[in-house]
Amino acid sequence: MVTTSLVGERIATKAAPARRIVAIDYLKGIGALWFTLGHMMLYFNDGSWLSIMAVAIIALDWLTVTMFLALTVVGTMMSIKQKEAAGTTKGMLVSAVKKSTFLLIVGTVMNISIELYNAEKLGPWVLLGANMIFVIALVQLFTFVLMRLGKVPRVALLAALLVLYPVLLNVTLQAIGFNGYGEVPVSQGELANPAYVAYYLLFHMDAMSPTFEWLITATIASLVFEGFAEHVAREGREGRVSGALPGESGESRKGAVKHLAAMGMVCISAAILIGGFVMIKGVGPSYSEYYFLSAADQYSFYSADGLPLFIVRHFPNYTAFNVGILAMVFAALYYRTEFRSKNLAFQDTFVVSGQLSFSIFVYGHAFYLLFLRLSVWQYLALCVPIGLLMLVGVKLWARRARGIGSLEWLMGVYITAIGSLQR
């Protein structure tokens, strides 16, 4: 059996011996570490190294929201296909809804907490803020819809989303009277205007991932990773633990991984070649990358009038580019662990962190309360020991304390309680 659900997975203990896909947890663990250190950059930057921070953000942005959303799709797809192959689909959607409602509750609490510290208040609209936990809950449920559609309808859906994105973005920006690039002020006052509501719900969502972005991310990921998901489901059905599947050569098994890497290259190429070199400064939250990179600090080096579209947050090119990088890296890690049976660097540590990645992401926001302002060298002196302590602490938390108090542990408690009420 392969444990593939990315939402509400039990921490790997003696009570949960099922084999997990190492590459998934490993990447989530690295992403969780980068989330923490990246947020610390934003919180502690004294303004003298904004350009350096921007380089780090642009280089590692594929490890953030896009990756977690895509891996949610991958895990949900594999779970669906495995259960379909085993004929055990009864209650599958109900179970997903339970997990998603828990994440929606956590995401709502995060939105309310963000509102307390925001200078511009959103009022009731903050409840729809698209922080990562909130959006992952929606993406998991949306994956069930995508799996019902089949490949051709999903390709058509993706094409429609890609065409509608620039058209509707342009329409909403014109409707709110915004021309050009830069920050778009959004507060409770502006949201009395229906045009601002449309912009906020579809394209802005300051916290993490706008609606259009997560719809595109989920759809692309479902197409790119479907062959791989079918491969894993086939392994589960045949009960493979190691070696070649009955009736399937090692070369054909490797073909599924090579296909995934090739799909990743297609995404990267398309993101760059189809309008990816258009230079823009970004709109709304996506403008911050250009603002940071072009900041006139002591390390300043960037003077171009905008950024290539494939690295501007929230735009379709950016989404395709990051899903492409993820597919290629994931294929390489999966090949090394599953076919060559070799460990990855610091594998155990990052895998455990990946299993508690939701908790790391949410609880790591506590660093905001320190109100530190540091130079780049002071930040490096602080982030290295904090990163190491975090990795060691999370490992002890999972292994010695069984993750008690983590969001993953709380989800188990929540699901058990809901199940008891239903009896």
Side-chain angles (χ1 to χ4, degrees):
M1 177 181 174
V2 179
T3 302
T4 57
S5 174
L6 293 180
V7 183
E9 292 175 309
R10 289 186 294 173
I11 298 168
T13 65
K14 292 181 180 179
R19 184 175 73 88
R20 303 167 69 106
I21 292 180
V22 170
I24 288 176
D25 285 330
Y26 186 82
L27 281 169
K28 288 169 64 183
I30 294 176
L33 175 63
W34 168 236
F35 259 127
T36 303
L37 299 182
H39 284 155
M40 285 171 57
M41 281 187 181
L42 291 168
Y43 301 152
F44 301 160
N45 198 305
D46 66 357
S48 67
W49 51 288
L50 292 174
S51 55
I52 291 179
M53 180 178 70
V55 171
I57 291 173
I58 291 171
L60 298 176
D61 217 24
W62 69 273
L63 284 167
T64 58
V65 184
T66 303
M67 184 185 80
F68 277 85
L69 297 184
L71 289 181
T72 297
V73 173
V74 176
T76 305
M77 285 174 60
M78 288 191 291
S79 181
I80 291 171
K81 289 180 179 294
Q82 284 179 315
K83 289 177 181 178
E84 286 177 345
T88 58
T89 58
K90 184 178 180 179
M92 179 172 59
L93 180 58
V94 173
S95 176
V97 169
K98 289 177 183 178
K99 295 171 184 177
S100 293
T101 55
F102 174 81
L103 293 178
L104 287 172
I105 292 170
V106 173
T108 299
V109 172
M110 278 195 69
N111 286 332
I112 294 171
S113 300
I114 291 170
E115 176 78 347
L116 296 176
Y117 292 96
N118 271 351
E120 293 185 345
K121 303 299 182 183
L122 296 174
W125 293 104
V126 77
L127 298 178
L128 297 176
N131 66 68
M132 189 179 78
I133 303 298
F134 193 95
V135 173
I136 281 176
L138 300 177
V139 164
Q140 188 188 30
L141 296 178
F142 183 57
T143 304
F144 281 82
V145 177
L146 292 172
M147 290 299 93
R148 292 278 187 181
L149 291 178
K151 290 182 181 178
V152 174
R154 269 182 280 146
V155 170
L157 172 62
L158 177 60
L161 290 170
L162 294 178
V163 170
L164 286 172
Y165 186 97
V167 173
L168 292 181
L169 177 60
N170 212 21
V171 168
T172 55
L173 290 177
Q174 288 181 2
I176 65 177
F178 182 82
N179 297 308
Y181 302 107
E183 295 289 349
V184 179
V186 174
S187 64
Q188 188 172 359
E190 278 89 13
L191 289 169
N193 180 341
Y196 266 97
V197 172
Y199 166 74
Y200 173 71
L201 294 178
L202 296 177
F203 301 107
H204 190 77
M205 292 285 195
D206 192 23
M208 281 290 169
S209 183
T211 301
F212 247 96
E213 183 185 22
W214 67 255
L215 287 173
I216 291 172
T217 300
T219 307
I220 291 177
S222 74
L223 292 166
V224 170
F225 282 88
E226 182 158 30
F228 174 80
E230 290 173 348
H231 159 71
V232 172
R234 190 161 58 248
E235 286 185 334
R237 185 173 66 248
E238 299 292 343
R240 187 187 74 85
V241 176
S242 63
L245 285 171
E248 185 177 21
S249 70
E251 285 304 314
S252 64
R253 290 175 53 230
K254 290 178 183 177
V257 181
K258 290 179 180 178
H259 176 74
L260 176 60
M263 289 291 287
M265 180 57 72
V266 168
C267 285
I268 292 172
S269 301
I272 295 174
L273 296 176
I274 305 175
F277 287 115
V278 173
M279 301 289 283
I280 71 169
K281 295 180 179 179
V283 178
S286 66
Y287 173 72
S288 59
E289 286 174 289
Y290 175 77
Y291 171 77
F292 293 146
L293 189 62
S294 60
D297 58 40
Q298 59 183 314
Y299 305 102
S300 180
F301 68 94
Y302 193 80
S303 58
D305 191 27
L307 296 172
L309 199 57
F310 69 91
I311 60 174
V312 179
R313 271 194 167 193
H314 305 324
F315 284 82
N317 301 68
Y318 159 91
T319 298
F321 183 76
N322 285 343
V323 171
I325 293 176
L326 171 63
M328 296 185 68
V329 173
F330 183 93
L333 296 180
Y334 186 82
Y335 179 82
R336 180 175 176 82
T337 56
E338 299 295 322
F339 291 93
R340 301 189 66 188
S341 299
K342 292 187 177 182
N343 284 341
L344 305 170
F346 306 104
Q347 177 175 303
D348 190 48
T349 298
F350 281 118
V351 163
V352 172
S353 296
Q355 293 165 10
L356 289 175
S357 56
F358 288 166
S359 299
I360 295 171
F361 168 72
V362 174
Y363 298 160
H365 285 78
F367 284 112
Y368 178 82
L369 302 176
L370 295 182
F371 298 107
L372 296 176
R373 293 296 179 267
L374 307 175
S375 69
V376 64
W377 304 113
Q378 290 171 327
Y379 166 80
L380 291 173
L382 181 66
C383 80
V384 171
I386 284 181
L388 292 174
L389 286 172
M390 186 198 83
L391 292 173
V392 173
V394 167
K395 195 171 181 179
L396 291 173
W397 189 12
R399 297 290 167 80
R400 300 288 180 86
R402 296 181 177 272
I404 293 175
S406 67
L407 293 179
E408 291 77 2
W409 173 82
L410 286 171
M411 178 179 282
V413 173
Y414 173 84
I415 292 174
T416 300
I418 294 295
S420 300
L421 294 174
Q422 291 177 327
R423 293 193 186 100

